[in-house]
Amino acid sequence: MNVTLLAGGVGGARLAHGLDLALSPQSLTVVVNVGDDTELHGLAISPDIDTVLYTLAELNDEDRGWGLRGESYATLSALKELGEDTWFTLGDRDLATHIVRTARLRRGDALSAVTAHIARSMGVRPCVLPVTDDHLATLVDTPSGRLGFQEYFVGRQHADAVLGLHFDGADAARPAPGVLDALAAELVVLAPSNPFLSIEPLLAVRGVREALVMAPGRRVAVSPIVGGQAIKGPAAQILESLGHEVSALGVARIYADLVDVMVIDERDASLAGPVADLGLTVHVTDTIMGGPPGRERLARELLALA
Amino acid sequence: MNVTLLAGGVGGARLAHGLDLALSPQSLTVVVNVGDDTELHGLAISPDIDTVLYTLAELNDEDRGWGLRGESYATLSALKELGEDTWFTLGDRDLATHIVRTARLRRGDALSAVTAHIARSMGVRPCVLPVTDDHLATLVDTPSGRLGFQEYFVGRQHADAVLGLHFDGADAARPAPGVLDALAAELVVLAPSNPFLSIEPLLAVRGVREALVMAPGRRVAVSPIVGGQAIKGPAAQILESLGHEVSALGVARIYADLVDVMVIDERDASLAGPVADLGLTVHVTDTIMGGPPGRERLARELLALA
């Protein structure tokens, strides 16, 4: 079975890992958000792509949720001594990824080609695609003004109320090669990622939302909200500040026109009726993945929905 | 007293350190070779500038002769795992220097401005100037063909016979701001660096050789050949393969039109007469610097020659 996962950071990466464990090689495509991408110290940083790659390569730091296991920080410490602003933590091994990416982008390679090279070097089996090779930058409107994504997320610890989002470059950004084809998979899954910060920028790329609406396969979304709270990150606050209900039902309303099946956590079983009333098939299960066995279990349930 | 040192790598760096210890702040300018500069993993590497900066900042690895003390290599190891060619050793802390340099060059800063920034961040007191902000690349003609400098020097461990040298870009390269003014110092010293690999590319930059020939101050060269051998590196082999006598006298002949005083080692005292016959003042002393006290001693002797 061909499966495509639309993914942001940690939640998307974990489900990608589960699907990779559950599927035969070359069955899985992961289309990844690049709205969080930024440049630091002249290096091209793609946090969501790296979280997906590191998790699929089983090199990620599970406890922290980002970056590589067993990292050291000698370069960052030296950068600080050289007067650089080091609010964004970059490990020594992680920096190698950014150095390789930057060198290849500068010589003209597309981000999708660079990502494929890095994935191959790490022994990652699924096809990991940035949603676009073009510029796409999530900007966050807050009471303090419009912030770059990493300034909002890391620099200010996503403490600002989100009043709106702007996906700079989305109008002109074209899907990376393979992205639209991937949406024709037998199963398309929207990961339990932040609907606004991770999934929306994917859909904002020209033709992606339309391709998802028209997708011939089964389309399934997994709610990132469980028991009225985000599993990780600021999804709950953002739902609230943008006027949505902070629940799996609120998420289902956002995705109602895009998917066939809504997967909600067993703690939200009481919402199954209202979600079904939106015209969606509802699947109630334990959506908290935790380690690899939990990821694979959830993945197998999703595959059974196709 | 204003002093200017023309320097390559290790020998130049050590004498720069000695002069810095012997002089009051803001008296010393070090004009550094950039013919060895290269790009690796998309990063701009300036080995001679860094050796000078690290030595002046007393952060250098004295035993190894290059790089920083107490380095780790986590990034290099990760670069290798990503399929990068890692024949050129880059430490984690050293990489920070290259990252900062590259980012600033890419945004349009001149190498001289970037070098001044890094020097300031490291607490380096002398003015360290790349000889040019323009492209200048030493190419080495060998029986195996023309090699890039680092390919010859590090990649092939300077094992190839040197049949000739080509300084790519020298015709168009302009001296960096301050270089020609620095040659009007009361004392100009040619460091005990490789005459062909370190000093020649400096002189190849438009107007530098002429400014040295016309320099109003005392011009002193320190022989890098002691007892018929190079203190470090391939200077002896190159002198020989290019048809020069492998001795302080051979070096003196190369520098005869450029300096007033030739400093030779006491082990070469017998060459004092022949060197004087070239029309040069000869100063015989212990030219092996070793640690900081030896560097300062030699520096003070040079200052006394002015």
Side-chain angles (χ1 to χ4, degrees), chain A residues 40-43 59 71-72 74-79 81-84 91-100 102-104 106 117-118 121-122, chain B residues 40-43 59 71-72 74-79 81-84 91-100 102-104 106 117-118 121-122:
Chain A
L40 293 164
H41 318 292
L43 299 173
L59 297 169
E71 270 286 23
S72 52
T75 305
L76 196 75
S77 146
L79 284 169
E81 288 167 27
L82 288 170
E84 294 285 295
D92 293 325
R93 294 181 57 78
D94 187 37
L95 271 164
T97 308
H98 310 315
I99 289 170
V100 166
T102 305
R104 288 175 175 251
R106 295 240 187 243
H117 165 75
I118 296 172
S121 306
M122 292 185 171
Chain B
L40 293 164
H41 317 293
L43 299 173
L59 297 169
E71 270 286 20
S72 53
T75 304
L76 196 75
S77 145
L79 284 169
E81 288 167 28
L82 288 171
E84 293 286 295
D92 293 326
R93 295 181 57 77
D94 188 36
L95 271 164
T97 308
H98 310 315
I99 289 170
V100 167
T102 305
R104 288 175 176 251
R106 296 239 185 243
H117 165 74
I118 296 172
S121 304
M122 292 185 172

Side-chain angles (χ1 to χ4, degrees), chain B residues 98-114:
Chain B
H98 310 315
I99 289 170
V100 167
R101 176 186 296 116
T102 305
R104 288 175 176 251
L105 290 174
R106 296 239 185 243
R107 78 179 191 195
D109 291 3
L111 181 61
S112 52
V114 177

Side-chain angles (χ1 to χ4, degrees), chain B residues 208-287:
Chain B
V208 173
R209 182 184 295 272
E210 295 73 10
L212 180 61
V213 168
M214 306 291 288
R218 193 77 161 163
R219 302 161 308 169
V220 177
V222 182
S223 174
I225 301 288
V226 172
Q229 298 192 315
I231 298 166
K232 190 173 192 312
Q237 299 96 293
I238 296 178
L239 276 163
E240 183 166 25
S241 67
L242 295 179
H244 298 271
E245 185 178 311
V246 185
S247 72
L249 176 59
V251 175
R253 287 193 184 117
I254 295 166
Y255 289 153
D257 296 334
L258 299 170
V259 300
D260 309 300
V261 184
M262 191 75 205
V263 177
I264 66 174
D265 195 82
E266 51 201 13
R267 272 149 283 194
D268 296 318
S270 63
L271 298 173
V275 172
D277 291 344
L278 298 169
L280 296 169
T281 301
V282 185
H283 180 74
V284 180
T285 185
D286 176 8
T287 62

Side-chain angles (χ1 to χ4, degrees), chain A residues 8-9 14 44 64 124 127 129 133 168 205-206 235 247 252 257 261 266 296 306:
Chain A
R14 289 184 176 170
R64 200 168 53 177
V124 166
C127 174
L129 290 177
D133 286 328
D168 189 56
V205 171
R206 237 164 46 182
S247 72
D257 296 334
V261 183
E266 51 201 13
E296 187 174 349

